[in-house]
Amino acid sequence: MINQVWLPGIQHVTQATSLGWVVTEPNSATVNLFDHELRRVGRVAVPLDDPQMNVAATGQLVAAGDKHQIIVLDHRGGIHWRSDWDRLGGSADAGFHLDGEHVLWVRLTDTKELVAIDATTGKEIHRTPLPGPEAAMFVHRPVDTWTGLTLFHPDPSPAMLVGLDAEHIALRPLTGDDLAGFSPAGDHYLTMAPDGFLSVRDLTTGTMIVEGHLEDLPDMPPGPASWRYLDRAVFVTDELILIDVSTADLPDDAEDHLLLSARGLRCRSQVRYPHPYRSGAIHPSQQPGRWLTRHHQQDQLRLWQLDGRLDDDPLPGQVPLL
């Protein structure tokens, strides 16, 4: 384990584009900023009425939105701008994301539009129609300014890359199911389907590299044949994927974290943590070989790193706490 943090309540964890992670608290409109080593580098009080807010951040800015408005601040709490959702087109539950170029991406559910906004000034850059379901998730791509976006659960699910070309929104459709994440090198992407299918695809061509169902993956741990996802899968390295699963007939606390080969989806190892508690939800890191776990009941965030060696034996443990 690299580091761990205890917070008096953890509401939501988001990966920041150039920082590390953004963590909100359930009873306070407060944003905690952590770097890639899970060291807290800032704590920003956000002047919103509802602590149940969505957040996004970069190394310089924080965007936060509740049911009524969205606000962009710097890390010292200085307000750059704020806006009622009505001015942008409604959509109090809109999903949004800050990219590395300080573009704020907003998917408006009421008007079915995607909007690009200059995050430093609040000036709208461009908007374009984007029909589809209300539920949307932005996925950061680590190597450039193109951002992943998936709209959940029609069949097939619309997933795409979004970016700006001469201050106009450009959309690049992605094949496959729900977009889960990108490899650290940025050339492959991972998709998941609610029925248990997982695939790795080439980003340039959309060609499927490998696909499999949770119940049919090679070398899965012994036990009941029926598996289900508890959380989205993430790339840990360009060669390894981490998934959070449970058997379909057991409660969520019977979960397992499994490392899969990104080339063949063969189960390489079952992660054995050096503590007796439930493993917790997983979050990707921009540092290859690392991931974050969030333990709900213990209000714990823990940052993990793979040992330098990985073979078919059980994982030999994590690197010591720094």
Side-chain angles (χ1 to χ4, degrees), residues 67-133:
K67 295 179 180 179
H68 307 291
Q69 59 181 311
I70 185 169
I71 184 170
V72 175
L73 313 92
D74 60 34
H75 287 193
R76 298 182 301 275
I79 298 174
H80 282 242
W81 58 275
R82 66 197 309 166
S83 173
D84 294 336
W85 285 115
D86 289 342
R87 185 174 73 83
L88 296 178
S91 299
D93 57 348
F96 56 85
H97 174 77
L98 275 171
D99 72 15
E101 298 295 315
H102 293 143
V103 176
L104 177 67
W105 295 96
V106 184
R107 185 2 172 76
L108 298 172
T109 57
D110 290 351
T111 60
K112 304 295 185 182
E113 291 177 304
L114 179 66
V115 184
I117 299 170
D118 184 328
T120 60
T121 66
K123 178 182 177 181
E124 182 174 317
I125 302 171
H126 190 228
R127 68 173 61 203
T128 190
L130 188 60

Side-chain angles (χ1 to χ4, degrees), residues 33-72:
L33 305 170
F34 294 92
D35 67 10
H36 295 291
E37 302 293 326
L38 198 57
R39 296 173 300 206
R40 183 154 55 187
V41 296
R43 190 169 187 265
V44 182
V46 180
L48 292 175
D49 297 327
D50 189 351
Q52 309 298 312
M53 56 186 180
N54 295 322
V55 294
T58 66
Q60 291 78 40
L61 299 176
V62 175
D66 62 10
K67 295 179 180 179
H68 307 291
Q69 59 181 311
I70 185 169
I71 184 170
V72 175

